[in-house]
Amino acid sequence: MQANDDEAHGTRAGNARTGPGDLGRRVALRREELGLTREEVARRAGMAPGYLQYVEEEVADAGAVGLIRLAGALETTTAGLRGGGTDLPTGLGKAARHPELLDMSPEECREHLSTHGVGRVAVTTADGPAVAPVNYSVVDDEIVYRTRPGGSADPQPGTDVAFEVDHIDEAFSRGWSVLVVGRAERATDTAMADRLAERAYTSAWAGGDRGLWIRIVPLRITGRRIAVP
């Protein structure tokens, strides 16, 4: 049964236009992760595309039934859409039955790296090994990110570092990870730093003075994924 226009209109009437809420952001992000259009998700969930647009773009409460339908359509859980695990580590669920761990080709690894995201860089510091999360971009097949000079994500130039990015699908107990091992270089040339800034998707989420660009020139790219029948 589809949500009718009266239902959507009635929900809109009770809320002034304020932009997307937490639920809307999570629904839209999950839809984009799956590569689905609003029409496709609405058809899966049995609701009108216009109502799904409202859920994504306004501060909306889809209701218990609507939330369950959306979770099923987006191959996730209602808790995931509500952000119930926001302050908890991923992977709290149980393993699936008969999982298979598969190696990914370098081409698959590059596809999973995409053009940007959040990953972790492992470096050697004076205090020992350190791992730091960074907002990264992929530019000309190199991993680039901004950090604070002398910070935990600022490796010694010319040293080898490891960079890892992964994704966990809690609803189906599956996921993947990509590991890049490469040589770290500082982008001290002004023209190069400006070019990287122009092509970066976002500034560092952590904020602060993070104007030092680090380039990781890949020497080896490997990846694995958990496949579930």
mmCIF file with all atom_site columns, all heavy atoms in Angstrom, residues 121-132 145 147-157 159-161 186:
data_model
loop_
_atom_site.group_PDB
_atom_site.id
_atom_site.type_symbol
_atom_site.label_atom_id
_atom_site.label_alt_id
_atom_site.label_comp_id
_atom_site.label_asym_id
_atom_site.label_entity_id
_atom_site.label_seq_id
_atom_site.pdbx_PDB_ins_code
_atom_site.Cartn_x
_atom_site.Cartn_y
_atom_site.Cartn_z
_atom_site.occupancy
_atom_site.B_iso_or_equiv
_atom_site.pdbx_formal_charge
_atom_site.auth_seq_id
_atom_site.auth_comp_id
_atom_site.auth_asym_id
_atom_site.auth_atom_id
_atom_site.pdbx_PDB_model_num
ATOM 1   N N   . VAL A 1 121 ? 45.143 6.172  8.408  1.00 0.00 ? 121 VAL A N   1
ATOM 2   C CA  . VAL A 1 121 ? 46.527 6.094  7.972  1.00 0.00 ? 121 VAL A CA  1
ATOM 3   C C   . VAL A 1 121 ? 47.388 5.643  9.147  1.00 0.00 ? 121 VAL A C   1
ATOM 4   O O   . VAL A 1 121 ? 47.223 6.131  10.274 1.00 0.00 ? 121 VAL A O   1
ATOM 5   C CB  . VAL A 1 121 ? 47.013 7.450  7.408  1.00 0.00 ? 121 VAL A CB  1
ATOM 6   C CG1 . VAL A 1 121 ? 46.938 8.559  8.456  1.00 0.00 ? 121 VAL A CG1 1
ATOM 7   C CG2 . VAL A 1 121 ? 48.419 7.323  6.851  1.00 0.00 ? 121 VAL A CG2 1
ATOM 8   N N   . ALA A 1 122 ? 48.261 4.671  8.900  1.00 0.00 ? 122 ALA A N   1
ATOM 9   C CA  . ALA A 1 122 ? 49.161 4.136  9.931  1.00 0.00 ? 122 ALA A CA  1
ATOM 10  C C   . ALA A 1 122 ? 50.573 4.639  9.647  1.00 0.00 ? 122 ALA A C   1
ATOM 11  O O   . ALA A 1 122 ? 51.110 4.415  8.551  1.00 0.00 ? 122 ALA A O   1
ATOM 12  C CB  . ALA A 1 122 ? 49.125 2.616  9.927  1.00 0.00 ? 122 ALA A CB  1
ATOM 13  N N   . VAL A 1 123 ? 51.148 5.323  10.622 1.00 0.00 ? 123 VAL A N   1
ATOM 14  C CA  . VAL A 1 123 ? 52.480 5.906  10.454 1.00 0.00 ? 123 VAL A CA  1
ATOM 15  C C   . VAL A 1 123 ? 53.351 5.538  11.652 1.00 0.00 ? 123 VAL A C   1
ATOM 16  O O   . VAL A 1 123 ? 52.866 5.090  12.693 1.00 0.00 ? 123 VAL A O   1
ATOM 17  C CB  . VAL A 1 123 ? 52.407 7.443  10.323 1.00 0.00 ? 123 VAL A CB  1
ATOM 18  C CG1 . VAL A 1 123 ? 51.521 7.841  9.159  1.00 0.00 ? 123 VAL A CG1 1
ATOM 19  C CG2 . VAL A 1 123 ? 51.891 8.068  11.610 1.00 0.00 ? 123 VAL A CG2 1
ATOM 20  N N   . THR A 1 124 ? 54.649 5.724  11.487 1.00 0.00 ? 124 THR A N   1
ATOM 21  C CA  . THR A 1 124 ? 55.601 5.516  12.575 1.00 0.00 ? 124 THR A CA  1
ATOM 22  C C   . THR A 1 124 ? 56.028 6.872  13.109 1.00 0.00 ? 124 THR A C   1
ATOM 23  O O   . THR A 1 124 ? 56.480 7.734  12.350 1.00 0.00 ? 124 THR A O   1
ATOM 24  C CB  . THR A 1 124 ? 56.824 4.737  12.085 1.00 0.00 ? 124 THR A CB  1
ATOM 25  O OG1 . THR A 1 124 ? 56.406 3.467  11.577 1.00 0.00 ? 124 THR A OG1 1
ATOM 26  C CG2 . THR A 1 124 ? 57.818 4.507  13.227 1.00 0.00 ? 124 THR A CG2 1
ATOM 27  N N   . THR A 1 125 ? 55.844 7.076  14.406 1.00 0.00 ? 125 THR A N   1
ATOM 28  C CA  . THR A 1 125 ? 56.215 8.339  15.043 1.00 0.00 ? 125 THR A CA  1
ATOM 29  C C   . THR A 1 125 ? 57.318 8.109  16.062 1.00 0.00 ? 125 THR A C   1
ATOM 30  O O   . THR A 1 125 ? 57.731 6.968  16.314 1.00 0.00 ? 125 THR A O   1
ATOM 31  C CB  . THR A 1 125 ? 54.995 8.966  15.748 1.00 0.00 ? 125 THR A CB  1
ATOM 32  O OG1 . THR A 1 125 ? 54.663 8.166  16.899 1.00 0.00 ? 125 THR A OG1 1
ATOM 33  C CG2 . THR A 1 125 ? 53.795 9.016  14.821 1.00 0.00 ? 125 THR A CG2 1
ATOM 34  N N   . ALA A 1 126 ? 57.786 9.203  16.656 1.00 0.00 ? 126 ALA A N   1
ATOM 35  C CA  . ALA A 1 126 ? 58.821 9.088  17.676 1.00 0.00 ? 126 ALA A CA  1
ATOM 36  C C   . ALA A 1 126 ? 58.327 8.315  18.890 1.00 0.00 ? 126 ALA A C   1
ATOM 37  O O   . ALA A 1 126 ? 59.110 7.722  19.632 1.00 0.00 ? 126 ALA A O   1
ATOM 38  C CB  . ALA A 1 126 ? 59.288 10.484 18.095 1.00 0.00 ? 126 ALA A CB  1
ATOM 39  N N   . ASP A 1 127 ? 57.015 8.289  19.108 1.00 0.00 ? 127 ASP A N   1
ATOM 40  C CA  . ASP A 1 127 ? 56.428 7.567  20.232 1.00 0.00 ? 127 ASP A CA  1
ATOM 41  C C   . ASP A 1 127 ? 55.980 6.158  19.864 1.00 0.00 ? 127 ASP A C   1
ATOM 42  O O   . ASP A 1 127 ? 55.372 5.463  20.675 1.00 0.00 ? 127 ASP A O   1
ATOM 43  C CB  . ASP A 1 127 ? 55.230 8.354  20.777 1.00 0.00 ? 127 ASP A CB  1
ATOM 44  C CG  . ASP A 1 127 ? 55.633 9.716  21.320 1.00 0.00 ? 127 ASP A CG  1
ATOM 45  O OD1 . ASP A 1 127 ? 56.728 9.816  21.894 1.00 0.00 ? 127 ASP A OD1 1
ATOM 46  O OD2 . ASP A 1 127 ? 54.856 10.675 21.146 1.00 0.00 ? 127 ASP A OD2 1
ATOM 47  N N   . GLY A 1 128 ? 56.243 5.759  18.617 1.00 0.00 ? 128 GLY A N   1
ATOM 48  C CA  . GLY A 1 128 ? 55.846 4.428  18.188 1.00 0.00 ? 128 GLY A CA  1
ATOM 49  C C   . GLY A 1 128 ? 54.787 4.485  17.105 1.00 0.00 ? 128 GLY A C   1
ATOM 50  O O   . GLY A 1 128 ? 54.468 5.559  16.581 1.00 0.00 ? 128 GLY A O   1
ATOM 51  N N   . PRO A 1 129 ? 54.180 3.334  16.746 1.00 0.00 ? 129 PRO A N   1
ATOM 52  C CA  . PRO A 1 129 ? 53.164 3.314  15.689 1.00 0.00 ? 129 PRO A CA  1
ATOM 53  C C   . PRO A 1 129 ? 51.924 4.108  16.104 1.00 0.00 ? 129 PRO A C   1
ATOM 54  O O   . PRO A 1 129 ? 51.553 4.155  17.277 1.00 0.00 ? 129 PRO A O   1
ATOM 55  C CB  . PRO A 1 129 ? 52.831 1.816  15.547 1.00 0.00 ? 129 PRO A CB  1
ATOM 56  C CG  . PRO A 1 129 ? 53.978 1.099  16.167 1.00 0.00 ? 129 PRO A CG  1
ATOM 57  C CD  . PRO A 1 129 ? 54.479 1.982  17.260 1.00 0.00 ? 129 PRO A CD  1
ATOM 58  N N   . ALA A 1 130 ? 51.293 4.734  15.110 1.00 0.00 ? 130 ALA A N   1
ATOM 59  C CA  . ALA A 1 130 ? 50.070 5.497  15.360 1.00 0.00 ? 130 ALA A CA  1
ATOM 60  C C   . ALA A 1 130 ? 49.131 5.322  14.174 1.00 0.00 ? 130 ALA A C   1
ATOM 61  O O   . ALA A 1 130 ? 49.572 5.188  13.031 1.00 0.00 ? 130 ALA A O   1
ATOM 62  C CB  . ALA A 1 130 ? 50.386 6.972  15.574 1.00 0.00 ? 130 ALA A CB  1
ATOM 63  N N   . VAL A 1 131 ? 47.837 5.304  14.467 1.00 0.00 ? 131 VAL A N   1
ATOM 64  C CA  . VAL A 1 131 ? 46.812 5.220  13.439 1.00 0.00 ? 131 VAL A CA  1
ATOM 65  C C   . VAL A 1 131 ? 45.869 6.402  13.627 1.00 0.00 ? 131 VAL A C   1
ATOM 66  O O   . VAL A 1 131 ? 45.388 6.637  14.742 1.00 0.00 ? 131 VAL A O   1
ATOM 67  C CB  . VAL A 1 131 ? 46.027 3.898  13.516 1.00 0.00 ? 131 VAL A CB  1
ATOM 68  C CG1 . VAL A 1 131 ? 44.926 3.871  12.466 1.00 0.00 ? 131 VAL A CG1 1
ATOM 69  C CG2 . VAL A 1 131 ? 46.958 2.703  13.340 1.00 0.00 ? 131 VAL A CG2 1
ATOM 70  N N   . ALA A 1 132 ? 45.607 7.138  12.548 1.00 0.00 ? 132 ALA A N   1
ATOM 71  C CA  . ALA A 1 132 ? 44.763 8.327  12.652 1.00 0.00 ? 132 ALA A CA  1
ATOM 72  C C   . ALA A 1 132 ? 43.729 8.323  11.537 1.00 0.00 ? 132 ALA A C   1
ATOM 73  O O   . ALA A 1 132 ? 44.043 8.002  10.383 1.00 0.00 ? 132 ALA A O   1
ATOM 74  C CB  . ALA A 1 132 ? 45.619 9.593  12.556 1.00 0.00 ? 132 ALA A CB  1
ATOM 75  N N   . TYR A 1 145 ? 45.459 13.798 1.634  1.00 0.00 ? 145 TYR A N   1
ATOM 76  C CA  . TYR A 1 145 ? 44.681 14.303 2.765  1.00 0.00 ? 145 TYR A CA  1
ATOM 77  C C   . TYR A 1 145 ? 45.413 15.469 3.405  1.00 0.00 ? 145 TYR A C   1
ATOM 78  O O   . TYR A 1 145 ? 46.621 15.665 3.211  1.00 0.00 ? 145 TYR A O   1
ATOM 79  C CB  . TYR A 1 145 ? 44.419 13.204 3.801  1.00 0.00 ? 145 TYR A CB  1
ATOM 80  C CG  . TYR A 1 145 ? 45.657 12.642 4.458  1.00 0.00 ? 145 TYR A CG  1
ATOM 81  C CD1 . TYR A 1 145 ? 46.187 13.193 5.626  1.00 0.00 ? 145 TYR A CD1 1
ATOM 82  C CD2 . TYR A 1 145 ? 46.311 11.534 3.916  1.00 0.00 ? 145 TYR A CD2 1
ATOM 83  C CE1 . TYR A 1 145 ? 47.316 12.676 6.240  1.00 0.00 ? 145 TYR A CE1 1
ATOM 84  C CE2 . TYR A 1 145 ? 47.435 11.004 4.516  1.00 0.00 ? 145 TYR A CE2 1
ATOM 85  C CZ  . TYR A 1 145 ? 47.937 11.580 5.676  1.00 0.00 ? 145 TYR A CZ  1
ATOM 86  O OH  . TYR A 1 145 ? 49.081 11.048 6.268  1.00 0.00 ? 145 TYR A OH  1
ATOM 87  N N   . THR A 1 147 ? 46.433 17.548 6.970  1.00 0.00 ? 147 THR A N   1
ATOM 88  C CA  . THR A 1 147 ? 46.662 17.303 8.384  1.00 0.00 ? 147 THR A CA  1
ATOM 89  C C   . THR A 1 147 ? 47.413 18.477 9.008  1.00 0.00 ? 147 THR A C   1
ATOM 90  O O   . THR A 1 147 ? 47.805 19.425 8.314  1.00 0.00 ? 147 THR A O   1
ATOM 91  C CB  . THR A 1 147 ? 47.459 15.996 8.583  1.00 0.00 ? 147 THR A CB  1
ATOM 92  O OG1 . THR A 1 147 ? 47.500 15.678 9.981  1.00 0.00 ? 147 THR A OG1 1
ATOM 93  C CG2 . THR A 1 147 ? 48.887 16.132 8.060  1.00 0.00 ? 147 THR A CG2 1
ATOM 94  N N   . ARG A 1 148 ? 47.624 18.381 10.301 1.00 0.00 ? 148 ARG A N   1
ATOM 95  C CA  . ARG A 1 148 ? 48.364 19.424 11.033 1.00 0.00 ? 148 ARG A CA  1
ATOM 96  C C   . ARG A 1 148 ? 49.853 19.076 11.040 1.00 0.00 ? 148 ARG A C   1
ATOM 97  O O   . ARG A 1 148 ? 50.225 17.940 11.332 1.00 0.00 ? 148 ARG A O   1
ATOM 98  C CB  . ARG A 1 148 ? 47.841 19.499 12.463 1.00 0.00 ? 148 ARG A CB  1
ATOM 99  C CG  . ARG A 1 148 ? 48.541 20.505 13.365 1.00 0.00 ? 148 ARG A CG  1
ATOM 100 C CD  . ARG A 1 148 ? 47.816 20.604 14.698 1.00 0.00 ? 148 ARG A CD  1
ATOM 101 N NE  . ARG A 1 148 ? 47.731 19.311 15.348 1.00 0.00 ? 148 ARG A NE  1
ATOM 102 C CZ  . ARG A 1 148 ? 48.709 18.775 16.096 1.00 0.00 ? 148 ARG A CZ  1
ATOM 103 N NH1 . ARG A 1 148 ? 49.861 19.427 16.256 1.00 0.00 ? 148 ARG A NH1 1
ATOM 104 N NH2 . ARG A 1 148 ? 48.545 17.605 16.676 1.00 0.00 ? 148 ARG A NH2 1
ATOM 105 N N   . PRO A 1 149 ? 50.721 20.008 10.684 1.00 0.00 ? 149 PRO A N   1
ATOM 106 C CA  . PRO A 1 149 ? 52.152 19.727 10.713 1.00 0.00 ? 149 PRO A CA  1
ATOM 107 C C   . PRO A 1 149 ? 52.582 19.228 12.093 1.00 0.00 ? 149 PRO A C   1
ATOM 108 O O   . PRO A 1 149 ? 52.271 19.829 13.114 1.00 0.00 ? 149 PRO A O   1
ATOM 109 C CB  . PRO A 1 149 ? 52.792 21.083 10.401 1.00 0.00 ? 149 PRO A CB  1
ATOM 110 C CG  . PRO A 1 149 ? 51.744 21.818 9.633  1.00 0.00 ? 149 PRO A CG  1
ATOM 111 C CD  . PRO A 1 149 ? 50.431 21.377 10.216 1.00 0.00 ? 149 PRO A CD  1
ATOM 112 N N   . GLY A 1 150 ? 53.270 18.090 12.108 1.00 0.00 ? 150 GLY A N   1
ATOM 113 C CA  . GLY A 1 150 ? 53.716 17.516 13.368 1.00 0.00 ? 150 GLY A CA  1
ATOM 114 C C   . GLY A 1 150 ? 52.664 16.694 14.076 1.00 0.00 ? 150 GLY A C   1
ATOM 115 O O   . GLY A 1 150 ? 52.921 16.151 15.156 1.00 0.00 ? 150 GLY A O   1
ATOM 116 N N   . GLY A 1 151 ? 51.466 16.573 13.491 1.00 0.00 ? 151 GLY A N   1
ATOM 117 C CA  . GLY A 1 151 ? 50.396 15.805 14.115 1.00 0.00 ? 151 GLY A CA  1
ATOM 118 C C   . GLY A 1 151 ? 50.551 14.310 13.898 1.00 0.00 ? 151 GLY A C   1
ATOM 119 O O   . GLY A 1 151 ? 51.501 13.840 13.258 1.00 0.00 ? 151 GLY A O   1
ATOM 120 N N   . SER A 1 152 ? 49.607 13.543 14.421 1.00 0.00 ? 152 SER A N   1
ATOM 121 C CA  . SER A 1 152 ? 49.693 12.085 14.354 1.00 0.00 ? 152 SER A CA  1
ATOM 122 C C   . SER A 1 152 ? 49.579 11.545 12.934 1.00 0.00 ? 152 SER A C   1
ATOM 123 O O   . SER A 1 152 ? 50.015 10.427 12.661 1.00 0.00 ? 152 SER A O   1
ATOM 124 C CB  . SER A 1 152 ? 48.598 11.455 15.228 1.00 0.00 ? 152 SER A CB  1
ATOM 125 O OG  . SER A 1 152 ? 47.313 11.878 14.798 1.00 0.00 ? 152 SER A OG  1
ATOM 126 N N   . ALA A 1 153 ? 48.997 12.327 12.015 1.00 0.00 ? 153 ALA A N   1
ATOM 127 C CA  . ALA A 1 153 ? 48.856 11.877 10.637 1.00 0.00 ? 153 ALA A CA  1
ATOM 128 C C   . ALA A 1 153 ? 49.895 12.504 9.716  1.00 0.00 ? 153 ALA A C   1
ATOM 129 O O   . ALA A 1 153 ? 49.755 12.440 8.496  1.00 0.00 ? 153 ALA A O   1
ATOM 130 C CB  . ALA A 1 153 ? 47.453 12.192 10.129 1.00 0.00 ? 153 ALA A CB  1
ATOM 131 N N   . ASP A 1 154 ? 50.937 13.085 10.293 1.00 0.00 ? 154 ASP A N   1
ATOM 132 C CA  . ASP A 1 154 ? 52.007 13.715 9.518  1.00 0.00 ? 154 ASP A CA  1
ATOM 133 C C   . ASP A 1 154 ? 53.234 12.804 9.522  1.00 0.00 ? 154 ASP A C   1
ATOM 134 O O   . ASP A 1 154 ? 54.065 12.877 10.420 1.00 0.00 ? 154 ASP A O   1
ATOM 135 C CB  . ASP A 1 154 ? 52.347 15.083 10.114 1.00 0.00 ? 154 ASP A CB  1
ATOM 136 C CG  . ASP A 1 154 ? 53.492 15.769 9.360  1.00 0.00 ? 154 ASP A CG  1
ATOM 137 O OD1 . ASP A 1 154 ? 53.793 15.345 8.225  1.00 0.00 ? 154 ASP A OD1 1
ATOM 138 O OD2 . ASP A 1 154 ? 54.071 16.722 9.916  1.00 0.00 ? 154 ASP A OD2 1
ATOM 139 N N   . PRO A 1 155 ? 53.380 11.924 8.528  1.00 0.00 ? 155 PRO A N   1
ATOM 140 C CA  . PRO A 1 155 ? 54.515 10.997 8.512  1.00 0.00 ? 155 PRO A CA  1
ATOM 141 C C   . PRO A 1 155 ? 55.799 11.685 8.051  1.00 0.00 ? 155 PRO A C   1
ATOM 142 O O   . PRO A 1 155 ? 55.766 12.771 7.459  1.00 0.00 ? 155 PRO A O   1
ATOM 143 C CB  . PRO A 1 155 ? 54.083 9.939  7.493  1.00 0.00 ? 155 PRO A CB  1
ATOM 144 C CG  . PRO A 1 155 ? 53.190 10.687 6.555  1.00 0.00 ? 155 PRO A CG  1
ATOM 145 C CD  . PRO A 1 155 ? 52.493 11.729 7.377  1.00 0.00 ? 155 PRO A CD  1
ATOM 146 N N   . GLN A 1 156 ? 56.915 11.061 8.331  1.00 0.00 ? 156 GLN A N   1
ATOM 147 C CA  . GLN A 1 156 ? 58.178 11.565 7.836  1.00 0.00 ? 156 GLN A CA  1
ATOM 148 C C   . GLN A 1 156 ? 58.209 11.415 6.317  1.00 0.00 ? 156 GLN A C   1
ATOM 149 O O   . GLN A 1 156 ? 57.875 10.354 5.789  1.00 0.00 ? 156 GLN A O   1
ATOM 150 C CB  . GLN A 1 156 ? 59.351 10.804 8.451  1.00 0.00 ? 156 GLN A CB  1
ATOM 151 C CG  . GLN A 1 156 ? 59.564 11.087 9.931  1.00 0.00 ? 156 GLN A CG  1
ATOM 152 C CD  . GLN A 1 156 ? 59.897 12.552 10.183 1.00 0.00 ? 156 GLN A CD  1
ATOM 153 O OE1 . GLN A 1 156 ? 60.730 13.139 9.479  1.00 0.00 ? 156 GLN A OE1 1
ATOM 154 N NE2 . GLN A 1 156 ? 59.257 13.148 11.182 1.00 0.00 ? 156 GLN A NE2 1
ATOM 155 N N   . PRO A 1 157 ? 58.589 12.467 5.588  1.00 0.00 ? 157 PRO A N   1
ATOM 156 C CA  . PRO A 1 157 ? 58.609 12.377 4.127  1.00 0.00 ? 157 PRO A CA  1
ATOM 157 C C   . PRO A 1 157 ? 59.504 11.235 3.651  1.00 0.00 ? 157 PRO A C   1
ATOM 158 O O   . PRO A 1 157 ? 60.582 10.994 4.200  1.00 0.00 ? 157 PRO A O   1
ATOM 159 C CB  . PRO A 1 157 ? 59.176 13.740 3.702  1.00 0.00 ? 157 PRO A CB  1
ATOM 160 C CG  . PRO A 1 157 ? 58.885 14.652 4.841  1.00 0.00 ? 157 PRO A CG  1
ATOM 161 C CD  . PRO A 1 157 ? 58.992 13.803 6.070  1.00 0.00 ? 157 PRO A CD  1
ATOM 162 N N   . THR A 1 159 ? 58.891 8.058  3.847  1.00 0.00 ? 159 THR A N   1
ATOM 163 C CA  . THR A 1 159 ? 58.708 6.798  4.577  1.00 0.00 ? 159 THR A CA  1
ATOM 164 C C   . THR A 1 159 ? 57.483 6.058  4.035  1.00 0.00 ? 159 THR A C   1
ATOM 165 O O   . THR A 1 159 ? 56.593 6.648  3.444  1.00 0.00 ? 159 THR A O   1
ATOM 166 C CB  . THR A 1 159 ? 58.520 7.051  6.080  1.00 0.00 ? 159 THR A CB  1
ATOM 167 O OG1 . THR A 1 159 ? 57.371 7.889  6.281  1.00 0.00 ? 159 THR A OG1 1
ATOM 168 C CG2 . THR A 1 159 ? 59.744 7.743  6.667  1.00 0.00 ? 159 THR A CG2 1
ATOM 169 N N   . ASP A 1 160 ? 57.458 4.756  4.251  1.00 0.00 ? 160 ASP A N   1
ATOM 170 C CA  . ASP A 1 160 ? 56.311 3.954  3.841  1.00 0.00 ? 160 ASP A CA  1
ATOM 171 C C   . ASP A 1 160 ? 55.223 4.023  4.908  1.00 0.00 ? 160 ASP A C   1
ATOM 172 O O   . ASP A 1 160 ? 55.501 3.959  6.107  1.00 0.00 ? 160 ASP A O   1
ATOM 173 C CB  . ASP A 1 160 ? 56.717 2.494  3.630  1.00 0.00 ? 160 ASP A CB  1
ATOM 174 C CG  . ASP A 1 160 ? 57.576 2.318  2.392  1.00 0.00 ? 160 ASP A CG  1
ATOM 175 O OD1 . ASP A 1 160 ? 57.653 3.265  1.589  1.00 0.00 ? 160 ASP A OD1 1
ATOM 176 O OD2 . ASP A 1 160 ? 58.176 1.242  2.225  1.00 0.00 ? 160 ASP A OD2 1
ATOM 177 N N   . VAL A 1 161 ? 53.982 4.151  4.458  1.00 0.00 ? 161 VAL A N   1
ATOM 178 C CA  . VAL A 1 161 ? 52.839 4.190  5.359  1.00 0.00 ? 161 VAL A CA  1
ATOM 179 C C   . VAL A 1 161 ? 51.787 3.211  4.845  1.00 0.00 ? 161 VAL A C   1
ATOM 180 O O   . VAL A 1 161 ? 51.844 2.754  3.699  1.00 0.00 ? 161 VAL A O   1
ATOM 181 C CB  . VAL A 1 161 ? 52.241 5.614  5.470  1.00 0.00 ? 161 VAL A CB  1
ATOM 182 C CG1 . VAL A 1 161 ? 53.264 6.590  6.001  1.00 0.00 ? 161 VAL A CG1 1
ATOM 183 C CG2 . VAL A 1 161 ? 51.697 6.068  4.114  1.00 0.00 ? 161 VAL A CG2 1
ATOM 184 N N   . ARG A 1 186 ? 55.163 15.032 1.244  1.00 0.00 ? 186 ARG A N   1
ATOM 185 C CA  . ARG A 1 186 ? 54.478 16.286 1.554  1.00 0.00 ? 186 ARG A CA  1
ATOM 186 C C   . ARG A 1 186 ? 54.343 17.121 0.286  1.00 0.00 ? 186 ARG A C   1
ATOM 187 O O   . ARG A 1 186 ? 55.308 17.274 -0.466 1.00 0.00 ? 186 ARG A O   1
ATOM 188 C CB  . ARG A 1 186 ? 55.249 17.078 2.612  1.00 0.00 ? 186 ARG A CB  1
ATOM 189 C CG  . ARG A 1 186 ? 55.251 16.422 3.986  1.00 0.00 ? 186 ARG A CG  1
ATOM 190 C CD  . ARG A 1 186 ? 56.092 17.225 4.960  1.00 0.00 ? 186 ARG A CD  1
ATOM 191 N NE  . ARG A 1 186 ? 56.076 16.642 6.299  1.00 0.00 ? 186 ARG A NE  1
ATOM 192 C CZ  . ARG A 1 186 ? 56.831 17.079 7.304  1.00 0.00 ? 186 ARG A CZ  1
ATOM 193 N NH1 . ARG A 1 186 ? 57.656 18.110 7.111  1.00 0.00 ? 186 ARG A NH1 1
ATOM 194 N NH2 . ARG A 1 186 ? 56.757 16.501 8.484  1.00 0.00 ? 186 ARG A NH2 1
#
